[in-house]
Amino acid sequence: MPGTATAEFRAAFLPGAEDPGRTVAELRSLIGNRATLSVVGNPGESEQQALDRLRGYLATPDSDHDTDVFRAWQSAVRRTHPGVRATACQFEAVTSAVPFREQNVPVYGMYPFTVNRDMLKRMHGTDEHIGVEPLRQGTETVYQLLAGLRSKH
């Protein structure tokens, strides 16, 4: 049996939710002296700098949903996926949107394919793939979104 072991995990935080520094402190309290918890940030970044950067991301307001673009996306989804209600949700690339959202430029992440629960479980795994039909549906939704935006201008 090895004398040491290493485990990595990622945590996601919702904007406006719990402070990541407090979460780290609570986890450290739970594990006590049985293990060491390290926050890993960007290369050369201290733990405090990583937590401060994350706090900045989380403090940036969400994109406004009362826009022509968001309504056009909802309309496109209604046309291509009858009975499905389009709504906002957390997107894993949220940090890429922060510089735009800081300038009040709304950013909406979307996949150019239809995602189901099974695909989400396999995402970034060894069996990640997109089927032909989900890609066709997603392509049609993007087309309908762009057509809807074009008709507005």
Side-chain angles (χ1 to χ4, degrees), residues 7-28:
E8 289 185 25
F9 75 94
R10 294 178 182 258
F13 298 91
L14 296 172
E18 187 73 31
D19 173 47
R22 182 174 175 191
T23 302
V24 169
E26 288 177 15
L27 288 170
R28 285 187 173 134

Side-chain angles (χ1 to χ4, degrees), residues 4-148:
T4 62
T6 301
E8 289 185 25
F9 75 94
R10 294 178 182 258
F13 298 91
L14 296 172
E18 187 73 31
D19 173 47
R22 182 174 175 191
T23 302
V24 169
E26 288 177 15
L27 288 170
R28 285 187 173 134
S29 175
L30 288 171
I31 63 175
N33 61 0
R34 298 183 306 255
T36 302
L37 174 68
S38 300
V39 174
V40 178
N42 292 330
E45 190 175 50
S46 71
E47 178 176 298
Q48 188 60 50
Q49 290 168 323
L51 290 172
D52 288 344
R53 180 174 44 80
L54 184 54
R55 284 183 188 105
Y57 290 159
L58 297 172
T60 305
D62 288 340
S63 294
D64 188 2
H65 301 135
D66 187 19
T67 65
D68 288 343
V69 173
F70 198 80
R71 283 187 289 276
W73 175 71
Q74 289 177 311
S75 179
V77 169
R78 278 193 302 273
R79 280 194 297 280
T80 59
H81 297 79
V84 173
R85 183 174 168 252
T87 186
C89 68
Q90 185 179 16
F91 193 67
E92 67 273 1
V94 68
T95 55
S96 301
V98 169
F100 295 101
R101 290 183 9 242
E102 286 174 335
Q103 302 300 315
N104 295 319
V105 175
V107 177
Y108 310 108
M110 65 179 285
Y111 296 110
F113 50 89
T114 301
V115 180
N116 62 31
R117 202 176 291 270
D118 183 56
M119 290 172 76
L120 288 173
K121 286 191 271 185
R122 290 184 283 108
M123 194 172 283
H124 303 306
T126 56
D127 188 28
E128 180 177 29
H129 62 272
I130 300 168
V132 172
E133 184 57 20
L135 184 59
R136 188 204 60 73
Q137 286 180 317
T139 301
E140 181 61 22
T141 303
V142 171
Y143 176 83
Q144 292 294 326
L145 166 63
L146 296 175

